[in-house]
């Protein structure tokens, strides 16, 4: 869309890392569970992700604890499979794990929503940063806090559009769609329309906001 960087580059290694990790965990718990083995596999996959996230200085104790959990879970699965085979009985149904899986899903959903609402947008970042923020913030569409931050993200992207007037207008119009109290945005839109010499389709959209 013709963007160029007009702010100093202050890119950290991984923006929104917590949200990335929570998204990966949520994906694990959205997998269909139709058997006891499926449920155990879901828990194992979640623990593996936790183990990956615990790599780094000061996280050794947490990593060892997760390894212990994984060992216990693996042993539990082996015991159940062994005694089911020896006794000629079927494996337990997945319902036995449904309460734990549901609790994990609900906890992750609540934590994810909280983390999204507490996102603090950094000024002076690249467009990709704000686009990623928008992707996450849009997942809490009923939150006024998220709407305000969505407007801020679009304002940042409009400023990064530089000579791409169409892109700037699109982002300013999107910002007004989330927050109609932004006087600065109306002023910027007026300037852009004036520079263009006539009101475009975007101008009529802005008027309706």
């Amino acid at each position: 869309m013709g963007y160029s960087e007009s702010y100093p580059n202050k890119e950290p290694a991984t923006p929104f890392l917590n949200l990335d990790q929570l998204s990966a965990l949520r994906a694990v718990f959205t997998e269909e569970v139709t058997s006891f083995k499926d449920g155990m596999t879901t828990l194992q996959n979640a623990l593996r992700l936790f183990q990956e996230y615990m790599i780094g200085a000061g996280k050794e104790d947490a990593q060892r604890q997760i390894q212990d959990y994984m060992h216990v879970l693996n042993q539990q699965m082996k015991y159940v499979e062994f005694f089911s085979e020896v006794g000629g009985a079927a494996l337990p149904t997945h319902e036995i794990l449904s309460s734990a899986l549901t609790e994990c899903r609900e906890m992750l959903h609540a934590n994810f929503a909280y983390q999204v609402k507490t996102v603090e947008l950094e000024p002076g970042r690249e467009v990709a940063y704000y686009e990623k923020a928008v992707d996450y913030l849009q997942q809490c569409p009923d939150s006024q806090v998220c709407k305000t931050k969505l407007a801020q993200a679009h304002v940042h992207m409009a400023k990064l559009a530089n000579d791409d007037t169409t892109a700037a207008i699109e982002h300013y119009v999107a910002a007004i769609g989330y927050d109609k109290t932004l006087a600065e945005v109306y002023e910027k839109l007026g300037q852009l329309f004036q520079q263009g010499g006539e009101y475009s389709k975007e101008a009529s959209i802005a008027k309706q906001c």
Side-chain angles (χ1 to χ4, degrees):
M1 294 176 65
Y3 293 106
S4 63
E5 185 63 75
S6 62
Y7 290 120
N9 185 13
K10 301 190 297 182
E11 182 178 1
T14 309
F16 310 116
L17 179 60
N18 285 348
L19 288 172
D20 290 344
Q21 293 174 344
L22 284 170
S23 293
L25 283 167
R26 289 176 76 200
V28 168
F29 284 96
T30 57
E31 295 172 2
E32 186 177 8
V33 175
T34 58
S35 68
F36 177 78
K37 193 169 184 178
D38 285 346
M40 294 293 280
T41 299
T42 294
L43 293 174
Q44 288 171 333
N45 289 339
L47 284 173
R48 287 192 188 96
L49 279 176
F50 273 121
Q51 190 173 29
E52 290 177 17
Y53 301 155
M54 290 299 111
I55 294 174
K59 298 181 179 179
E60 294 82 1
D61 289 343
Q63 192 173 45
R64 280 193 293 271
Q65 190 174 22
I66 291 171
Q67 287 173 343
D68 290 341
Y69 287 150
M70 289 185 69
H71 176 73
V72 170
L73 197 63
N74 290 334
Q75 287 298 109
Q76 186 75 19
M77 187 64 193
K78 288 177 182 177
Y79 290 150
V80 170
E81 288 177 337
F82 173 76
F83 287 112
S84 294
E85 184 177 344
V86 170
L91 287 171
T93 63
H94 67 283
E95 279 81 6
I96 197 171
L97 294 173
S98 62
S99 177
L101 294 174
T102 298
E103 186 176 347
C104 287
R105 288 190 195 98
E106 292 175 350
M107 178 189 68
L108 286 168
H109 178 76
N111 197 354
F112 179 83
Y114 172 79
Q115 293 290 340
V116 169
K117 292 173 185 176
T118 56
V119 162
E120 292 296 334
L121 295 177
E122 299 175 12
R125 297 302 307 274
E126 72 290 351
V127 171
Y129 169 89
Y130 298 114
E131 288 177 337
K132 189 171 185 179
V134 166
D135 287 341
Y136 279 128
L137 290 165
Q138 285 178 331
Q139 296 186 49
C140 292
D142 298 327
S143 167
Q144 187 56 52
V145 170
C146 289
K147 289 179 182 178
T148 299
K149 292 179 180 180
L150 279 163
Q152 293 170 358
H154 280 288
V155 169
H156 283 301
M157 288 191 282
K159 291 177 179 178
L160 288 168
N162 287 340
D163 296 331
D164 191 339
T165 303
T166 300
I169 289 174
E170 287 175 354
H171 284 300
Y172 280 133
V173 169
I176 292 173
Y178 289 113
D179 186 350
K180 295 178 173 57
T181 67
L182 299 173
E184 173 200 1
V185 172
Y186 290 102
E187 183 180 348
K188 291 288 186 182
L189 278 171
Q191 292 171 358
L192 289 170
F193 296 146
Q194 207 169 30
Q195 289 170 11
E198 60 181 14
Y199 283 85
S200 62
K201 180 180 179 182
E202 288 84 359
S204 63
I205 294 173
K207 278 184 166 183
Q208 296 169 13
C209 292

